[in-house]
Amino acid sequence: MAARKSSAPLIEVTARPGQPLGMAPATFLRDFWQKRPLLIRNAFPDFQTPVQPEDLAGLACEEGVLARLIEHDKAQDGWRVRTGPFQEDVFPALPDHDWTLLVQDVDKWDPDVRALIEHFSFLPRWRMDDVMISFAATGGSVGAHVDQYDVFLLQAHGHRRWQIDASESIKGRQPPLGFRPDVELKLLKVFKPTHDWVLAPGDMLYLPPNVPHHGVAEDPCLTFSFGMRAPSSAELISDYLDTLIADADENIRYQDADLKVPADPNEIDTVAMARVITALNAIRMNDPDKLGDWFGRFITTYRAAGEVMAHQAAPAAEEVVEALASGMLLQRHPWARLAWRRAKRGASLYVSGQDFALPVKDAQRLAGAEQLDAAAYRGLSDKGRAVVQQLLVGGVFQLIDPNEVYEAEDEEDSEDAVVLGEVVEGRDRVEAIDADAVSDDVHSVTVHDDGIEVIVNFEDDDEDDSTGRA
């Protein structure tokens, strides 16, 4: 007898060559996007993480980096949250289990991480918020919770067990979303998973908003979280009203030139309310271009954690032409956010809260360009090159020598990062260690049956040196 075909919607697929989502992007958007979860096995085949745990720990020690350290006391079910920047001696002192380090906006600091965003070109780029990376020791977790936005969770190193409650998307039953009152994290009071998976490197889990989920490290692991921007209606209306108020014409007022003698002078009647609506409509953004310009400025600054600073002395336009001709590049600042929109005439380019009127081709090219070389610069119109000059002065673009950048990256990669703990394997068991032979830099030495665990403190002589790359 043939097996009965399941009526439950499929939420696990395996990626195929040419289909990293396991299906066409249009199919994913139609059937899964903001509708139900999807586990994609081998979404990134043979994935090699561009960021190591030591790199992440080093970045978490830098000023201006948003980082959190979450520790879980399983015996008491207690949670401790610390925020960065951290001192380097914090990490060697941690146990080998039950803690997680989370660092936001790693794509702004590491170009290799930033390059991964191109894999999500089936979504509007302005919807992408940031790439958060978490390192978890064995057993590390942030507890069962929900997110208010879409997220893609890519397993980059090690293994993590994910449990999710997909009952709403599968059974149409909303799960309980009450939070525990005894912890500062927004952890769910009740969590009843419907699915349980272990993800290996290259596997990716997509979660729509408000899907309860809980991830626990099976072994030391890295997870890359690609989060989407999703402004709330309150955030939208607040910024919209601020713009309306700033642009409002004081001469546009409530008017009642057709006023009649009221039956009751104390009543606000329906005719008066109609006049109120007329007054409000007079300042509303009925013009699609005005509304579009407001949203473009808003979304390119929404939840921005970093700031683009203006250049003190930007090169003149003719100097830019000469520099590009010599092989230099115009590099976009990693914190700059760009988008564009078709207007009644041409297009509008939005850059971190600013707007510029441009031909469509220029707006498209600049919004999608991480770098501009001499050919791309020549391909812009005069108006486009003038906008590039303004953006150069504003710090959105900067001239770089690609050869010097590569050399600097090579030197940086060779430097010591913050060490979380290093295991040195040995063939024979060591019975004793000569304390006099141990360097002052060694934090602790532990002898195991299968080797020696040595935890070393590294003190950087150059306080300004950064393990993160801007």
Side-chain angles (χ1 to χ4, degrees):
M1 181 177 179
R4 179 181 297 177
K5 186 176 180 180
S6 173
S7 60
L10 180 71
I11 64 171
E12 180 176 352
V13 296
T14 300
R16 302 189 296 272
Q19 289 193 340
L21 295 170
M23 63 191 74
T27 303
F28 170 80
L29 294 175
R30 182 194 66 200
D31 296 341
F32 292 92
W33 177 252
Q34 296 207 327
K35 302 174 186 70
R36 61 178 186 263
L38 179 67
L39 172 61
I40 309 164
R41 295 289 188 186
N42 206 32
F44 287 73
D46 304 317
F47 185 76
Q48 298 294 319
T49 176
V51 174
Q52 299 299 323
E54 293 81 4
D55 303 325
L56 197 67
L59 189 57
C61 297
E62 297 294 330
E63 289 289 342
V65 175
L66 299 178
R68 289 172 294 160
L69 183 60
I70 299 176
E71 300 165 83
H72 186 204
D73 179 354
K74 289 184 177 178
Q76 303 295 326
D77 195 21
W79 297 83
R80 181 188 183 191
V81 181
R82 287 186 272 175
T83 57
F86 300 104
Q87 297 298 314
E88 291 186 4
D89 57 4
V90 167
F91 298 105
L94 292 170
D96 62 358
H97 57 87
D98 300 334
W99 60 270
T100 300
L101 172 66
L102 304 104
V103 181
Q104 302 280 156
D105 290 299
V106 181
D107 54 301
K108 315 304 191 302
W109 300 95
D110 191 295
D112 293 327
V113 173
R114 186 175 178 84
L116 294 173
I117 295 176
E118 295 302 321
H119 291 271
F120 299 88
S121 59
F122 58 91
L123 298 170
R125 180 64 182 269
W126 53 265
R127 283 279 270 126
M128 180 71 70
D129 191 9
D130 77 324
V131 182
M132 181 185 74
I133 298 182
S134 66
F135 170 77
T138 302
S141 170
V142 298
H145 65 286
V146 296
D147 295 317
Q148 300 295 323
Y149 49 83
D150 303 86
V151 63
F152 293 85
L153 299 162
L154 170 63
Q155 194 60 31
H157 174 75
H159 301 79
R160 186 184 289 269
R161 178 177 297 277
W162 282 106
Q163 295 176 312
I164 71 168
D165 182 354
S167 56
E168 182 173 15
S169 58
I170 293 177
K171 302 176 182 177
R173 184 178 68 248
Q174 184 176 11
L177 297 179
F179 299 124
R180 288 176 51 175
D182 58 329
V183 292
E184 56 183 302
L185 296 167
K186 285 191 173 182
L187 302 184
L188 295 171
K189 284 183 180 179
V190 178
F191 176 64
K192 297 180 179 179
T194 59
H195 294 73
D196 188 319
W197 300 293
V198 174
L199 272 63
D203 293 342
M204 185 168 68
L205 176 62
Y206 163 70
L207 295 174
N210 293 315
V211 172
H213 54 286
H214 185 206
V216 180
E218 295 281 290
D219 47 33
C221 72
L222 287 166
T223 303
F224 290 16
S225 173
F226 298 82
M228 302 295 146
R229 293 187 196 119
S232 68
S233 57
E235 290 172 319
L236 288 169
I237 196 64
S238 175
D239 194 88
Y240 178 69
L241 287 176
D242 287 344
T243 303
L244 287 181
I245 293 169
D247 296 342
D249 185 347
E250 282 291 311
N251 293 318
I252 299 176
R253 294 176 176 271
Y254 175 90
Q255 297 179 357
D256 53 3
D258 58 345
L259 184 64
K260 301 293 190 296
V261 177
D264 182 346
N266 299 307
E267 179 188 5
I268 301 173
D269 58 22
T270 56
V271 177
M273 289 309 303
R275 296 190 189 104
V276 171
I277 294 172
T278 299
L280 290 174
N281 283 338
I283 64 170
R284 192 178 64 182
M285 294 181 188
N286 291 319
D287 185 340
D289 278 346
K290 285 186 177 180
L291 184 64
D293 286 345
W294 158 73
F295 184 74
R297 293 190 299 266
F298 167 78
I299 202 64
T300 55
T301 56
Y302 175 66
R303 290 190 62 189
E307 186 177 358
V308 179
M309 303 299 292
H311 285 302
Q312 295 296 322
E318 55 272 16
E319 294 176 306
V320 173
V321 173
E322 293 176 3
L324 293 175
S326 70
M328 295 186 74
L329 299 172
L330 281 167
Q331 175 73 46
R332 184 201 292 191
H333 193 289
W335 290 101
R337 291 177 173 177
L338 279 74
W340 75 280
R341 183 187 62 84
R342 295 182 190 274
K344 289 179 181 177
R345 292 185 178 181
S348 292
L349 175 70
Y350 307 103
V351 185
S352 299
Q354 305 175 76
D355 60 276
F356 303 90
L358 282 173
V360 170
K361 288 185 178 180
D362 286 353
Q364 283 181 303
R365 182 168 295 169
L366 292 177
E370 292 290 332
Q371 294 179 335
L372 291 172
D373 59 13
Y377 184 79
R378 286 194 304 269
L380 297 170
S381 68
D382 291 343
K383 199 170 186 179
R385 288 192 289 271
V387 168
V388 168
Q389 185 63 28
Q390 292 183 60
L391 297 179
L392 185 61
V393 172
V396 173
F397 282 106
Q398 62 178 339
L399 279 169
I400 63 166
D401 184 336
N403 296 321
E404 291 182 2
V405 171
Y406 297 145
E407 290 173 2
E409 288 182 356
D410 290 341
E411 291 176 2
E412 189 174 86
D413 289 341
S414 66
E415 294 174 355
D416 292 325
V418 176
V419 174
L420 303 179
E422 183 178 355
V423 176
V424 181
E425 295 183 357
R427 294 182 180 179
D428 300 318
R429 180 172 179 177
V430 178
E431 298 296 341
I433 295 176
D434 184 358
D436 294 335
V438 178
S439 166
D440 291 338
D441 291 333
V442 174
H443 179 272
S444 64
V445 179
T446 306
V447 179
H448 304 285
D449 289 339
D450 57 352
I452 309 169
E453 180 182 14
V454 183
I455 299 179
V456 183
N457 293 327
F458 288 92
E459 293 185 1
D460 197 341
D461 293 331
D462 186 355
E463 294 181 355
D464 293 330
D465 186 34
S466 171
T467 56
R469 286 173 288 174

